[in-house]
Amino acid sequence: AYVLGERQELMRCSDDGEPSQTAGKPMMDVLTGAGLTNVAVVVTRYFGGTLLGTGGLVRAYSGSLQEGLKDSTVIEKIHGISMEIITDYTGIGKIQYIAGEKGLPILSSEYTDRVTLQLLIPADQVQAVEKAVTEGTSGRAKMKKEKDLYYAVIDGEVKVFDD
């Protein structure tokens, strides 16, 4: 079974030789019920068949998927922008404050005669962050969009998906 798209636009499941609606449909119900997207699952049954009956097959397939989800880490990929910000030492405190206040990860920092930060900003917050940085540094900070990417926060750590 698989569910693709931000709003579950593409869904497909297969019973692959099992009695009708005893494998794929129960698995699809678990995925859609959990609100998951962009996920594919495969459950392989080695034992049971006619001994389980149709109700047992439904429970076996949906239960296997539920157990698999329980033991998995479900993440939310966020569309973001990697933004380079260059400022002088007087502006760094304000930028760090803005990043902390908005929960923006600082991916890297370089301190030379100036400070260069690489911030990860959710795509829908870019304009607000640009405005806050411009106002906070009185226009002294230079900002440059580096690239679009997707990221997730997993156990408090930022994981970037470049492709």
Side-chain angles (χ1 to χ4, degrees):
Y2 63 81
V3 180
L4 301 174
E6 287 184 35
R7 292 171 195 77
Q8 300 179 330
E9 295 94 354
L10 183 59
M11 297 185 217
R12 180 141 184 347
C13 62
S14 170
D15 292 316
D16 193 33
E18 296 286 30
S20 181
Q21 301 200 355
T22 60
K25 176 80 167 79
M27 290 169 36
M28 181 65 70
D29 291 343
V30 171
L31 291 176
T32 57
L36 297 175
T37 61
N38 299 324
V39 62
V41 295
V42 175
V43 174
T44 303
R45 179 183 60 78
Y46 291 103
F47 176 79
T50 56
L51 292 175
L52 290 175
T54 57
L57 286 171
V58 168
R59 286 188 298 278
Y61 282 100
S62 62
S64 294
L65 181 51
Q66 289 167 342
E67 284 296 311
L69 289 177
K70 188 174 75 175
D71 293 337
S72 299
T73 300
V74 177
I75 64 167
E76 177 185 356
K77 279 187 171 180
I78 302 164
H79 179 223
I81 306 295
S82 171
M83 180 81 71
E84 180 183 74
I85 301 176
I86 300 171
T87 188
D88 54 23
Y89 280 85
T90 59
I92 189 61
K94 187 61 178 176
I95 293 170
Q96 288 173 327
Y97 174 79
I98 292 166
E101 181 181 57
K102 295 183 178 294
L104 305 175
I106 298 174
L107 298 177
S108 68
S109 57
E110 182 181 318
Y111 293 83
T112 57
D113 59 327
R114 61 187 185 202
V115 182
T116 303
L117 296 176
Q118 184 184 26
L119 280 184
L120 185 52
I121 305 169
D124 61 351
Q125 294 181 29
V126 170
Q127 288 181 331
V129 171
E130 285 177 328
K131 181 180 179 195
V133 169
T134 299
E135 289 174 359
T137 63
S138 300
R140 290 188 312 272
K142 306 253 187 293
M143 293 172 279
K144 182 175 79 172
K145 177 181 169 182
E146 290 186 314
K147 61 182 169 180
D148 283 83
L149 46 77
Y150 283 87
Y151 70 97
V153 179
I154 305 169
D155 297 329
E157 290 192 35
V158 175
K159 167 77 171 136
V160 176
F161 304 94
D162 284 326
D163 41 16

